[in-house]
Amino acid sequence: DLRFALDLPGPADPGVALPAGGGDLGKVYLAHLAALRKGDVDALVGTMTRERAAELQAHRNDADFKMMFGFIQSQALRAPKYVAGHVKGDSATLDYQGKDADGKAVVSTVSMRREDGAWKVERESTQAGG
């Protein structure tokens, strides 16, 4: 008799499911979108991870910042509808459906990180669909 032990990777553990609307993390993301739409850079920076906020702040005095920021604003998710989310340790992922600037359906995945006890937006990826 031969016996083998196989250590095959299974599906990744996404962590604990978030409540409807994404709970406190969903509120942070919606505040992020609101600050972006308003053009309130200071409020926006407050919703972002230190690294991402530093990238934005580093260009704040650039001659073309207003144009660059306008482009970022134009890419913001419109009519966001929470779909699902999970948290594992200091990382979380939220999925939203919404519309792009042209009114086309998109899906957006938001990665968040807990820094100093507060949830912050780390990055966002948006694709056609929904």
Side-chain angles (χ1 to χ4, degrees), residues 47-90:
T47 66
M48 301 165 82
T49 58
R50 283 185 291 270
E51 180 180 348
R52 191 150 170 236
E55 290 172 7
L56 182 63
Q57 294 281 47
H59 297 285
R60 197 165 182 177
N61 294 321
D62 291 356
D64 59 350
F65 179 79
K66 189 172 184 176
M67 180 188 65
M68 179 183 72
F69 191 76
F71 175 76
I72 294 169
Q73 283 179 296
S74 74
Q75 301 304 306
L77 184 67
R78 290 158 173 74
K81 180 181 176 190
Y82 177 79
V83 176
H86 294 85
V87 62
K88 186 174 182 182
D90 289 333

Side-chain angles (χ1 to χ4, degrees), residues 3-22:
R3 293 186 183 185
F4 296 93
L6 298 175
D7 187 13
L8 300 174
D13 176 12
V16 177
L18 293 171

